[in-house]
Amino acid sequence: MNIHEYQGKQLLKSYGLPVADGVAILKASDAEAAAKSLPGPLYVVKSQIHAGGRGKGKFKELGPDAKGGVRLAKSVADVVANVNEMFGNTLVTKQTGPAGKQVNRLYIEDGADIERELYLSILVDRTVGRVAFVVSTEGGMDIEAVAHDTPEKIITVAIDPQTGVTDKDVAALSKALKLDGAAAEDARTIFPTLYKAFVEKDMSLLEVNPLIVMKNGRIRVLDAKVSFDGNAEFRHPELAELRDLSEEDEKEIEASKYDLAYVALDGNIGCMVNGAGLAMATMDIIKLYGAEPANFLDVGGGASKEKVTAAFKIITADPAVKGILVNIFGGIMRCDVIAEGVIAAVKEVGLKVPLVVRLEGTNVELGKKIINESGLNVISADDLDDAAKKIVKAVKG
Ligand code: ADP
Ligand code: MG
């Protein structure tokens, strides 16, 4: 689960970390009161969407010459003018895709006197099996470009879970970020505290880009991108209220209700598969034959008829789907259950696009019989290759 910058900052603030004062607003008319509650005279108006690159982003409605999604303002009136221009419009950034995201929340923040912009993130480094800090002196800009052009400027420090962040780790991080004086002093509490927040809240990513050194030498968290590990959700009922459903794909929300592993994609062939490995292979082979999958969907091992029905409905409800491929290898999952689920779903929602079904494994004969006797217009396939060819042909033809 992802949250907004202002929510991430509130969370970090509760750990005593240095973040600026700020007020989030959900309607433009709250801008003046929000700005007046801050010290001024410098303010920043920040679009709250679940995507980065907002500063360099562009509003669709305002044309290429308008300012981006993060704006400096020099007075309360300037804040209000910017809020009125930005609110409700669609921000397109490197991370939103061309469709962009509508800005329905803005964060009015105290402006900082920036001396240096640094990059810091904490993530799970799978190569060493540890939580690691990734830092760079080249913060504020496109970290992907830094990684590509000057990888030596990105430094990783993995943390031993038994000790947590040691003095040695702090020294290594401070050296990498060229911190001295008050900033180095701040770092001694900031790095261990960021780590503590990451671990306690079961985050999968905590990205602060930029972490800044201010003109007075002190450190501040200026941006915060926080993702939580969905598998640990049950341990954090306190985080549930931070979820912003308007930022999530409707089909993915529906799928999560049924515990289906579903990811919406850009193609037009809907896939219903059991097992993540088979789902990946199915997507690959669809691509091999020149088409694109509309989704990743793993119905899981012992899915019930209800779950299969729900999965099928989610696929058919997607207007981009021009054909469906059901590819099941029945191990724990029985082919007859899949067949019944598909038929139940089709009876409920109808079937307007070609459907190719490939069944193999436990109760395959019964599964095929159920489908054949259903009177549905199903194209059956013998193996994965055959199935992919048939659905691509049906969609393209
Ligand atoms: P994004 O990464 O989505 O573009 P950021 O929050 O990193 O958004 O803001 C982009 C840039 O705007 C920062 O790199 C920084 O230069 C400037 N900025 C952001 N917040 C403030 C602030 N409170 N005071 C001064 N400058 C800011
Ligand atoms: Mg940023």
Side-chain angles (χ1 to χ4, degrees):
M1 179 180 90
N2 299 325
I3 59 174
H4 290 291
E5 173 200 1
Y6 75 92
Q7 298 169 320
K9 283 181 170 170
Q10 271 161 11
L11 184 63
L12 296 179
K13 195 171 194 172
S14 74
Y15 277 85
L17 287 157
V19 300
D21 291 331
V23 182
I25 58 170
L26 290 105
K27 49 184 200 294
S29 55
D30 288 342
E32 186 173 350
K36 280 186 172 159
S37 74
L38 296 172
L42 190 62
Y43 308 86
V44 183
V45 182
K46 310 185 77 173
S47 307
Q48 299 299 294
I49 54 170
H50 287 186
R54 296 162 300 162
K56 289 192 174 147
K58 289 286 171 198
F59 284 100
K60 256 190 183 169
E61 295 83 355
L62 304 182
D65 298 329
K67 286 191 276 176
V70 174
R71 300 176 175 191
L72 286 176
K74 296 209 166 82
S75 65
V76 172
D78 200 10
V79 169
V80 173
N82 276 293
V83 167
N84 285 332
E85 194 177 306
M86 296 160 82
F87 214 100
N89 284 332
T90 315
L91 186 60
V92 181
T93 81
K94 257 190 172 173
Q95 293 184 11
T96 59
K101 286 199 161 178
Q102 197 182 28
V103 176
N104 296 317
R105 302 181 190 202
L106 286 168
Y107 189 45
I108 322 290
E109 195 178 59
D110 185 29
D113 279 327
I114 304 174
E115 178 73 31
R116 290 201 294 142
E117 300 201 10
L118 312 170
Y119 177 89
L120 179 147
S121 66
I122 307 182
L123 42 76
V124 180
D125 185 342
R126 291 174 200 283
T127 53
V128 292
R130 288 186 171 180
V131 171
F133 282 75
V134 178
V135 297
S136 175
T137 51
E138 311 303 302
M141 57 169 104
D142 194 350
I143 195 67
E144 286 83 6
V146 178
H148 183 265
D149 302 335
T150 47
E152 70 282 0
K153 289 191 173 164
I154 295 180
I155 284 133
T156 303
V157 177
I159 306 301
D160 182 338
Q162 289 203 297
T163 61
V165 178
T166 62
D167 290 348
K168 214 173 135 219
D169 296 328
V170 171
L173 290 165
S174 295
K175 184 167 174 248
L177 292 172
K178 301 191 168 67
L179 301 178
D180 53 21
E185 199 49 47
D186 281 353
R188 291 161 62 90
T189 49
I190 290 172
F191 295 149
T193 310
L194 286 169
Y195 177 82
K196 183 172 189 266
F198 182 94
V199 173
E200 277 185 4
K201 295 296 177 185
D202 288 307
M203 294 178 189
S204 54
L205 176 71
L206 168 55
E207 186 181 58
V208 179
N209 186 24
L211 180 77
I212 58 161
V213 180
M214 294 187 287
K215 292 237 157 61
N216 65 8
R218 308 296 301 269
I219 293 183
R220 187 178 271 181
V221 169
L222 213 67
D223 189 6
K225 183 173 182 182
V226 179
S227 306
F228 299 102
D229 182 347
N231 295 311
E233 211 175 276
F234 71 99
R235 299 209 288 206
H236 300 285
E238 81 282 8
L239 298 176
E241 63 176 24
L242 302 182
R243 195 166 173 192
D244 180 356
L245 290 176
S246 71
E247 289 281 340
E248 296 177 28
D249 185 284
E250 264 174 52
K251 300 184 292 298
E252 290 180 13
I253 296 170
E254 187 64 20
S256 72
K257 287 185 199 156
Y258 293 92
D259 222 5
L260 294 160
Y262 175 92
V263 181
L265 300 168
D266 295 331
N268 61 8
I269 296 183
C271 308
M272 184 161 89
V273 190
N274 67 328
L278 188 59
M280 302 285 258
T282 305
M283 289 163 48
D284 279 349
I285 202 160
I286 286 172
K287 280 173 173 279
L288 182 70
Y289 286 111
E292 294 287 331
N295 66 281
F296 169 96
L297 172 60
D298 171 12
V299 293
S304 62
K305 183 179 142 191
E306 287 68 32
K307 205 163 157 178
V308 172
T309 309
F312 201 82
K313 278 160 84 174
I314 289 166
I315 295 176
T316 48
D318 181 352
V321 168
K322 302 291 177 238
I324 299 170
L325 173 55
V326 173
N327 182 23
I328 300 294
F329 189 89
I332 302 168
M333 185 84 222
R334 289 168 16 223
C335 292
D336 54 315
V337 172
I338 289 283
E340 280 174 0
V342 169
I343 288 163
V346 170
K347 281 200 179 127
E348 232 177 280
V349 296
L351 182 64
K352 296 174 198 74
V353 296
L355 168 67
V356 171
V357 177
R358 178 251 177 167
L359 295 174
E360 194 54 79
T362 308
N363 288 2
V364 62
E365 292 312 324
L366 183 56
K368 283 185 175 167
K369 185 164 173 271
I370 290 169
I371 287 189
N372 290 338
E373 288 173 1
S374 70
L376 286 183
N377 185 16
V378 176
I379 307 166
S380 64
D382 298 324
D383 57 39
L384 184 47
D385 196 68
D386 185 39
K389 272 188 200 154
K390 279 179 173 156
I391 190 63
V392 172
K393 185 162 174 259
V395 167
K396 294 205 162 169

